[in-house]
Amino acid sequence: MPTAVVTGITGQDGSYLAELLLKKGYRVIGVARRSSTVNDERIRHLLDDITVVQGDLQDQGSLLSLLEEYKPTEVYNLAAQSFVPTSWSQPALTGDVTAIGVTRLLEAIRFVNPKIRFYQASSSEMFGKVMEVPQSEDTPFYPRSPYGVAKVYGHWITVNYRESFDMFAASGILFNHESPRRGMEFVTRKIANAVAHINLGLAKELRLGNLEAQRDWGFAGDYVEAMWLMLQQDYPDNYVIGTGETHAVREFCEIAFSHVGLDYKEFVVQDEKFYRPAEVDLLISDPAKARNQLKWEPSVSFKELVTMMVDSDLARLKKS
Ligand code: NAP
Ligand code: F7E
């Protein structure tokens, strides 16, 4: 039975990746940082099947110990301070976790067993103020937030360990991917949750920032399959993962509200508070390499994603 270590197991992607790896017959070791309250909402249904160990990307010793103890063949680094606005209010922490944390994990692998295959969760935020449209593996980076800057470091240190030490270190440049398990502060979940509240008479308005920002949004369940595929290749590489479509935040609102028979214009209020010091205006992927080499394709359309998220929040609220 192969063993995979997954950092960021309590996050959106960690939960979907754990489900996928279990289905494929892996022993899954999830790494979670210690917190004073229980934080296993997304993986509660998996707790009988996976092992959760304490570890932190800010603590080198914890990473060394867990690799020595569990002897994985694959390590997926999904842990990060991943919310872009927080990266302006906590830039040094974001750098320490999201950038230097990658080096700590790569160093742990290099010392314990350099044959371990490594996946780094890189991001389309690295393209930032985009240098070309659409964005591929060859598009130069121009990050627009401390988060984007930290991810550029994480990407290049992954490439550097591949080239310096001949390690199997792959970098997945994933465009935005969402699901009913998305954190509440990200715009898609914020909209879905607000639509459900408004539809049930529990809220009257939704305050948002820039409605014109465009993103290439896909379904997180599809994207974890691409992570796994990257580690099954003959050679480590960089891959862009996205749908090849882009939509504005405004369009997400239109579809989400109209799904429950409402007009978003009557409920959405634009609020300066949610604008960013520097915005990423347009992201759209060119996923040709992933399609050709990994044979990866997204299976959920934009409209299906929006309605899936609204329906899920409606069902959750009705239940509670
Ligand atoms: P997420 O839901 O925010 O999950 C992040 C995970 O990292 C959580 O489990 C969090 O633990 C953990 N974490 C934070 N700081 C840590 C630390 N110091 N040590 C150990 N763990 C720590 O993010 P996601 O959406 O699943 O994304 C997964 C990864 O892909 C992230 O690296 C993200 O930056 C990257 N990414 C995401 C997208 C996207 O659209 N979702 C696109 C491209 C790249 P707690 O639960 O304790 O906070
Ligand atoms: O913002 C605009 C906002 O916070 C999307 C992370 O997973 O994907 C994610 O980063 C857009 C931005 O995601 C609100 O200005 C408008 O243009 O949902 P988001 P993100 O910043 O794209 C990338 C690929 C990652 O790697 C990150 O980890 O929506 N927007 N009004 C808003 N955004 C938020 N959060 N809240 C608003 O009220």
Side-chain angles (χ1 to χ4, degrees):
M1 188 189 255
T3 298
V5 160
V6 180
T7 71
I9 192 76
T10 55
Q12 171 188 256
D13 291 6
S15 65
Y16 283 108
L17 181 62
E19 285 170 6
L20 178 85
L21 294 172
L22 286 172
K23 255 192 240 145
K24 292 190 180 293
Y26 281 73
R27 177 172 71 134
V28 177
I29 312 298
V31 184
R33 54 185 175 163
R34 190 259 163 193
S35 79
S36 65
T37 50
V38 179
N39 178 25
D40 60 7
E41 206 179 301
R42 295 184 178 108
I43 51 166
R44 208 163 290 151
H45 60 296
L46 301 174
L47 289 178
D48 287 341
D49 302 314
I50 67 175
T51 303
V52 179
V53 296
Q54 275 188 19
D56 197 307
L57 285 195
Q58 294 184 284
D59 186 279
Q60 181 76 68
S62 67
L63 305 175
L64 279 164
S65 308
L66 69 92
L67 293 186
E68 268 168 358
E69 183 171 353
Y70 293 100
K71 303 189 181 1
T73 44
E74 295 175 9
V75 169
Y76 295 84
N77 183 34
L78 308 187
Q81 188 306 95
S82 77
F83 190 48
V84 171
T86 297
S87 78
W88 276 288
S89 56
Q90 298 184 25
L93 175 125
T94 301
D96 195 50
V97 177
T98 305
I100 301 298
V102 187
T103 304
R104 291 194 189 98
L105 192 49
L106 284 164
E107 276 292 89
I109 291 173
R110 189 165 77 85
F111 280 110
V112 173
N113 175 9
K115 297 262 173 281
I116 292 171
R117 293 186 169 210
F118 174 77
Y119 172 83
Q120 167 58 13
S122 295
S123 165
S124 54
E125 280 294 297
M126 302 191 302
F127 297 122
K129 192 173 167 130
V130 296
M131 307 299 282
E132 63 180 355
V133 178
Q135 297 85 49
S136 74
E137 294 77 7
D138 300 322
T139 304
F141 301 135
Y142 190 151
R144 293 274 279 173
S145 64
Y147 169 80
V149 173
K151 282 288 180 187
V152 171
Y153 175 94
H155 169 78
W156 280 116
I157 199 72
T158 300
V159 173
N160 183 261
Y161 271 54
R162 183 195 305 161
E163 294 175 354
S164 306
F165 305 115
D166 202 21
M167 284 168 51
F168 194 112
S171 177
I173 306 174
L174 271 52
F175 283 62
N176 297 53
H177 45 279
E178 319 293 314
S179 73
R181 298 181 198 167
R182 188 56 142 153
M184 287 288 185
E185 70 273 55
F186 297 91
V187 78
T188 54
R189 185 73 196 282
K190 187 173 166 182
I191 297 167
N193 187 42
V195 167
H197 274 81
I198 292 169
N199 187 242
L200 297 175
L202 301 170
K204 290 193 164 54
E205 65 173 27
L206 165 60
R207 303 188 85 81
L208 292 174
N210 179 13
L211 298 184
E212 312 315 328
Q214 289 173 268
R215 289 291 183 277
D216 179 336
W217 277 298
F219 171 56
D222 287 339
Y223 286 47
V224 297
E225 178 89 33
M227 298 174 187
W228 176 78
L229 283 168
M230 285 179 219
L231 295 200
Q232 313 315 309
Q233 302 304 301
D234 291 340
Y235 302 100
D237 209 340
N238 310 323
Y239 295 92
V240 156
I241 302 296
T243 67
E245 271 182 39
T246 194
H247 298 273
V249 173
R250 187 183 293 282
E251 279 178 80
F252 198 106
C253 291
E254 266 171 21
I255 297 176
F257 278 89
S258 71
H259 184 55
V260 295
L262 299 173
D263 179 354
Y264 81 98
K265 291 192 203 106
E266 291 173 22
F267 301 96
V268 172
V269 178
Q270 280 191 273
D271 187 334
E272 289 288 312
K273 195 168 87 184
F274 297 108
Y275 281 78
R276 297 177 180 186
E279 178 62 285
V280 172
D281 295 316
L282 165 72
L283 290 174
I284 178 166
S285 65
D286 170 1
K289 182 173 173 182
R291 207 171 35 235
N292 296 333
Q293 291 187 26
L294 302 178
K295 311 289 176 221
W296 178 86
E297 294 274 2
S299 73
V300 177
S301 73
F302 178 63
K303 194 169 178 204
E304 286 167 347
L305 176 66
V306 179
T307 54
M308 174 207 298
M309 291 179 71
V310 172
D311 287 341
S312 165
D313 273 321
L314 270 173
R316 181 179 57 80
L317 285 180
K318 281 182 187 158
K319 212 166 134 193
S320 66

